[in-house]
Amino acid sequence: MIARIFVLLLLMIILSDIYIDRRLLRRLTRYLWWQRLLWWTPGIILFIYTLVLTFSRDFAPERVELLNVYLFLFGVLAIPKFLFAICSILGWGHCRFHHTKNNWGNLVGFVLAIAQIVIIIYGSTIGFRRLDIRHEDFYSPDVPAEFDGYRIVQFSDAHLGTYRGSSSKVLKRIIGSINAQKPDLIVFTGDLQNMAPDELYDFIPLLSSLYAKDGVCSILGNHDYSDYIKADDVTKVANERELISREREFGWSLLLNDNKTIKRGNDSIIVAGLENDGRKGEPKRADIGKALAGVDNRNFVLMLAHDPRLWRRDILPNSRAQLTLSGHTHAMQFEIFGWSPASLMYDEWGGMYYEGDRALNVSVGMGGFIPFRIGASNEIVVITLHRKGI
């Protein structure tokens, strides 16, 4: 992860320190050697830390906590100084062009730097611990009579490796909240791990405690295929098989381009699950034909698809699935006034979307590779099915 952009990161660290040191600190009447050393020490440490992470052979180090600490330090040390330096340079240019003396860019840069520090601290602590329970009602004439009022709880993108250590309390609260909804069905829409199945070991009893009348149905997400580690194919296949085995050990019905029938009296609905099929470089295994094998067109179909882009690309044109549940986007773990940078990449990135009488719900997830959230809080979604009069 760091190796992909390490040159940019190093430049942000070193150039900001050089600029502030030469343009501002040296102008102080008493800028002693030990003060200068004190100024440069955090940047030097962060510079070395960047180089160490650059040589990680995987997408992230085996101990993801090392990456999380680095990103936190970068957010509160390097980025604020970079923002200040950019604003100061622009302000200096404005002064030169307009022949003025007051560099207001310094003040703007200072305010932005403080705001950046506050955002990082809040998002990494309070923001990441927040939990929203979102309620949605879905109406369709295809909902069987016996399933009118049927409650489904969706959770997504657990990224369990991020919950190791003190963050495990957050996960326990989320699992407790899911059970507290007394659902008829629980569905998990992918990304249980960050990189490897050993992240699940500490949470096996907790995940096994999930309970719904009709059980738990799940699918795999892009992180669940162990493609984020550099290993031979034998190791990756072994990891994938272990993850599949673990989910089934929890008592979950893992759907790999497969479907399951849930019955109530003489009525039934179909829960179908697609494997991942996302952006370039991610596993492309979705097969909607296999997922709906043996399904009658008259059935009500609840489709599980990790990446919401599958909805318009494959599900709408190639099936009659009335309701699709996805995750994957995380809303990029940032939302303010209803806007998220995820909207630049996804047409549907969070919430319920409709196309005629068919709908897609995108959960912004309950975790993340990086433990940080602003606005787009961890969420579980309670969806109630209603039979719409014909």
Side-chain angles (χ1 to χ4, degrees), residues 22 53 56 60 89 143 160 204 218 248 276 337 388:
R22 296 182 65 85
L53 291 182
S56 174
I89 291 170
V143 172
L160 292 177
I204 291 174
S218 65
R248 289 174 173 160
N276 191 73
F337 302 123
K388 183 179 180 181

Side-chain angles (χ1 to χ4, degrees), residues 130-298:
R130 283 180 57 89
L131 174 64
D132 289 342
I133 301 176
R134 175 161 60 90
H135 291 264
E136 299 284 354
D137 294 284
F138 178 71
Y139 295 84
S140 171
D142 296 327
V143 172
E146 291 288 340
F147 286 85
D148 188 22
Y150 193 79
R151 287 166 61 86
I152 302 165
V153 171
Q154 178 194 5
F155 72 110
S156 190
D157 299 88
H159 293 274
L160 292 177
T162 308
Y163 284 105
R164 286 171 168 170
S166 60
S167 294
S168 63
K169 295 178 182 178
V170 180
L171 181 63
K172 289 177 182 177
R173 183 161 58 92
I174 293 172
I175 297 301
S177 296
I178 292 173
N179 284 334
Q181 306 309 310
K182 300 188 183 304
D184 294 297
L185 175 69
I186 297 172
V187 298
F188 175 70
T189 44
D191 276 3
L192 191 60
Q193 65 184 26
N194 282 330
M195 295 188 296
D198 61 357
E199 299 168 28
L200 281 61
Y201 296 170
D202 293 340
F203 306 112
I204 291 174
L206 182 62
L207 294 172
S208 300
S209 72
L210 283 169
Y211 175 78
K213 295 176 184 176
D214 293 318
V216 181
C217 291
S218 65
I219 55 173
L220 299 183
N222 52 298
H223 278 265
D224 295 327
Y225 295 90
S226 294
D227 271 5
Y228 290 84
I229 61 172
K230 289 185 179 179
D232 55 55
D233 290 341
V234 173
T235 301
K236 290 183 178 181
V237 169
N239 281 348
E240 184 181 330
R241 286 176 176 171
E242 181 179 358
L243 180 69
I244 291 171
S245 175
R246 292 292 181 184
E247 289 201 26
R248 289 174 173 160
E249 181 182 325
F250 302 155
W252 298 5
S253 296
L254 178 61
L255 302 172
L256 304 173
N257 290 326
D258 198 1
N259 64 75
K260 174 181 178 178
T261 301
I262 296 177
K263 295 184 177 181
R264 286 287 174 89
N266 294 322
D267 290 333
S268 64
I269 63 172
I270 303 295
V271 182
L274 291 173
E275 289 207 58
N276 191 73
D277 194 355
R279 65 180 182 176
K280 183 179 179 181
E282 292 180 352
K284 295 186 176 295
R285 305 192 190 180
D287 189 324
I288 200 164
K290 286 184 179 179
L292 295 176
V295 176
D296 192 295
N297 284 336
R298 294 171 294 181

Side-chain angles (χ1 to χ4, degrees), residues 94-107:
H94 182 271
C95 290
R96 291 291 299 270
F97 185 78
H98 292 280
H99 306 288
T100 59
K101 292 184 178 180
N102 292 326
N103 184 348
W104 292 103
N106 289 338
L107 178 60

